[in-house]
Amino acid sequence: MARGIFAMLFKTIWYVNGQKLGFLRLLRRHLSVSSRTVIDKAAKDGEVRVFIVSGEVSGDAIGSRVMASLKKLSPLPIRFSGVGGSRMSEQGLTSLFPLEDISVLGIWELLPHLKKIRAKLKATIEAALLFQPHVVLTVDNKGFSFRLLKNLRARYNQLNLDHPVHFHFVAPSFWAWKGGEGRLKGLTEFVDHIFCILPSEEEVCRANGLDATFVGHPIVEDVLELNSGKNSSPCRWKIEGNSEDFKAKNAIPAGATVISLLPGSRLQEVTRMLTIFAKTMDLLQESFPELVTVIHVAPNSHVENYIDGFVSKWPVPAILVPGGSPPQKYDALSASKVSLCASGTVAVEMQLAQLPCVVAYRAHFLTEWIVRYKAKIPYVSLPNILLNSAIIPEALFQACTHAKLAALLTELIHNEHLREEQIAAAEKVIRLLCPPERTIYNIIQQDSRFRSFPIQSPTPSMLAASLILYHDKP
């Protein structure tokens, strides 16, 4: 049986980047044993040195999972340096400075922080040079990340040193902006490989000369972690939180209407959105007298301190849930009727929880003007973008008022059809974001001759880690 499968594969023609490749050639491409691979170069030093930088909470989660996967897959010890948050520190990173120092959202909002961010950029570059990494991995936060990679590559060239391989996790949203695709060509000068989280991104990146791989959206790994041991597929399963336990622990009355609020992970957006959310809840309590709000607090010290002070004047009963605890988060979401979210990754988390939501977005008026002028898509939430349909109600820019949000939430709570429509769309969204099947990898692993192939599990972090370790160094 196995012999028949391999005989068939030898005759199969595979198409990669527009080229016809036989199976043996494709196999050699993935199982390169040249001394140019990262792992072979690192073997000379007896360790793999990875300089990793994330500038936001969502990137901290991605970075921590890649770090864990690198430690599992590498035949050599791994040593980390760079910038990250609490989850990356759990994997062995001592951050050069707090992640919050470079976590700024918006265009106009960035200006007051430019001097500090430039100083942090310079310190990060010097730390990377001193660390002598084999790999540099930046996660999202493209403004800081791309400046770091560009300047670091330039310094290595000036010093005439053998430079490390540069990876970036999460492709820039070129599809969302006018002229966005054209800017991809410029990244080829300092980005060696990019990990894409949307299925259409890999092909476009490669067409513009940028080496890229679609690894899947990191959020689907929440399913694997929280549904561990259950007989379910991550692409066809929601995360089941413990609703009753959450309600009992927080003494929530049986007839209460529970709404989850997710105001964002950066201080600038939280201060803006939480004020609007508070006024929205004040309006809603007229229609829902037993209203209870659950505020999800991002693991960002500035955000935590701000929300702790803000809730003292909150108009309805409020429960704070730490964002760094996925089990508590999904317990709270399962206990909620609907949610109100700031634009971002949380809209995808609502798909995993199968919780109907409303998405809100406000920024400085100049930032909003630039977004209106430069954006070429009508939506901001990823589920709507993927499905090209306004499945999730969005209140954007000047339309994002407490009156508008209260009206949208009231309609969503009362209209069962709208809630069911969102829930039905959730599985389609998650399926699109799952890691690729990569059947060829599964076949290779079944044969003892190829057991050394690095991929053990088709998760985004495992795929990324294996591509990092076995990347052909240019």
Side-chain angles (χ1 to χ4, degrees):
M1 178 73 176
R3 186 176 300 174
I5 292 174
F6 273 89
M8 181 175 63
L9 286 172
F10 276 101
K11 298 176 183 178
T12 300
I13 298 295
W14 302 78
Y15 286 84
V16 179
N17 296 338
Q19 299 179 344
K20 293 182 179 180
L21 297 180
F23 177 70
L24 280 177
R25 188 175 170 191
L26 184 64
L27 187 63
R28 284 196 297 269
R29 178 181 180 139
H30 284 289
L31 290 176
S32 171
V33 293
S34 74
S35 59
R36 294 164 52 208
T37 61
V38 168
I39 197 69
D40 286 324
K41 179 176 174 58
K44 299 173 183 177
D45 298 325
E47 64 177 1
V48 182
R49 294 188 294 274
V50 179
F51 194 84
I52 181 168
V53 174
S54 172
E56 48 201 27
V57 171
S58 59
D60 183 46
I62 295 171
S64 68
R65 284 169 169 154
V66 176
M67 290 169 71
S69 296
L70 284 168
K71 289 191 288 187
K72 288 179 182 177
L73 293 176
S74 176
L76 298 171
I78 301 274
R79 189 152 60 94
F80 298 105
S81 181
V83 180
S86 58
R87 295 187 63 171
M88 289 167 66
S89 69
E90 292 172 359
Q91 294 299 327
L93 177 71
T94 300
S95 187
L96 299 174
F97 48 80
L99 171 150
E100 294 87 348
D101 287 358
I102 55 173
S103 181
V104 181
L105 178 70
I107 303 168
W108 185 260
E109 294 88 338
L110 179 65
L111 293 181
H113 304 276
L114 275 179
K115 184 177 181 180
K116 180 179 73 173
I117 291 177
R118 283 172 179 160
K120 297 300 181 185
L121 176 63
K122 182 179 179 181
T124 306
I125 293 169
E126 296 304 325
L129 290 168
L130 186 64
F131 186 62
Q132 297 183 329
H134 303 102
V135 169
V136 178
L137 170 63
T138 52
V139 185
D140 214 352
N141 196 13
K142 65 176 183 179
F144 188 89
S145 294
F146 290 158
R147 284 175 176 82
L148 170 64
L149 296 179
K150 184 176 183 178
N151 281 277
L152 194 57
R153 182 60 54 87
R155 288 288 296 276
Y156 270 92
N157 289 338
Q158 289 172 0
L159 297 170
N160 199 28
L161 296 174
D162 188 21
H163 59 74
V165 186
H166 288 180
F167 296 90
H168 183 71
F169 204 129
V170 183
S173 304
F174 56 84
W175 36 264
W177 306 97
K178 296 173 185 175
E181 185 177 333
R183 286 193 285 272
L184 290 175
K185 292 183 175 67
L187 300 182
T188 60
E189 298 176 6
F190 52 87
V191 178
D192 297 310
H193 201 102
I194 203 158
F195 300 127
C196 305
I197 66 172
L198 301 183
S200 61
E201 292 174 333
E202 177 181 336
E203 182 180 355
V204 178
C205 286
R206 288 183 177 275
N208 285 276
L210 185 60
D211 204 11
T213 303
F214 168 55
V215 296
H217 198 293
I219 200 69
V220 301
E221 297 198 41
D222 281 350
V223 185
L224 297 175
E225 292 174 6
L226 298 178
N227 285 356
S228 179
K230 298 178 181 178
N231 185 23
S232 60
S233 164
C235 300
R236 300 181 60 84
W237 194 255
K238 78 169 193 173
I239 296 178
E240 297 277 6
N242 193 327
S243 170
E244 296 305 317
D245 184 59
F246 182 82
K247 289 180 178 179
K249 286 180 178 178
N250 293 282
I252 298 175
T257 300
V258 183
I259 299 180
S260 271
L261 304 177
L262 299 99
S265 60
R266 304 175 183 90
L267 183 61
Q268 292 86 357
E269 64 179 331
V270 171
T271 54
R272 182 174 287 110
M273 300 310 301
L274 207 57
T275 301
I276 300 173
F277 287 4
K279 293 179 180 179
T280 303
M281 296 304 109
D282 196 21
L283 275 182
L284 284 178
Q285 67 177 331
E286 299 175 8
S287 302
F288 305 97
E290 288 192 281
L291 180 62
V292 176
T293 55
V294 177
I295 303 175
H296 296 254
V297 185
N300 175 321
S301 59
H302 301 319
V303 168
E304 291 167 354
N305 293 335
Y306 177 81
I307 292 179
D308 283 342
F310 195 93
V311 293
S312 62
K313 51 188 176 183
W314 197 255
V316 298
I319 301 166
L320 303 186
V321 172
S325 173
Q328 288 188 53
K329 174 173 63 181
Y330 284 99
D331 285 350
L333 295 177
S334 70
S336 303
K337 185 77 171 181
V338 296
S339 67
L340 174 58
C341 316
S343 172
T345 305
V346 291
V348 182
E349 292 179 346
M350 299 307 105
Q351 308 299 292
L352 289 178
Q354 293 191 9
L355 178 64
C357 66
V358 171
V359 168
Y361 176 78
R362 285 303 308 266
H364 190 280
F365 78 94
L366 287 176
T367 297
E368 291 184 357
W369 182 83
I370 293 171
V371 171
R372 284 178 181 272
Y373 175 73
K374 295 291 291 181
K376 65 178 185 180
I377 56 176
Y379 311 116
V380 298
S381 58
L382 189 54
N384 287 351
I385 293 168
L386 287 171
L387 300 176
N388 194 28
S389 176
I391 296 296
I392 296 174
E394 296 182 351
L396 312 178
F397 309 123
Q398 298 302 314
C400 181
T401 64
H402 58 281
K404 175 72 171 179
L405 292 175
L408 290 174
L409 287 168
T410 299
E411 184 179 15
L412 192 58
I413 290 170
H414 287 313
N415 193 324
E416 185 178 356
H417 173 72
L418 289 178
R419 297 198 306 275
E420 289 178 347
E421 188 179 35
Q422 281 202 39
I423 292 171
E427 185 176 332
K428 297 177 184 177
V429 171
I430 299 304
R431 188 183 295 119
L432 287 170
L433 297 177
C434 277
E437 291 292 331
R438 302 198 184 279
T439 307
I440 183 174
Y441 296 161
N442 298 332
I443 293 173
I444 288 172
Q445 286 225 295
Q446 290 172 9
D447 190 277
S448 60
R449 290 174 295 175
F450 307 122
R451 288 281 165 80
S452 61
F453 194 74
I455 293 182
Q456 306 294 321
S457 176
T459 66
S461 62
M462 279 289 187
L463 289 171
S466 57
L467 288 166
I468 286 171
L469 292 172
Y470 290 85
H471 184 277
D472 274 349
K473 193 176 186 308

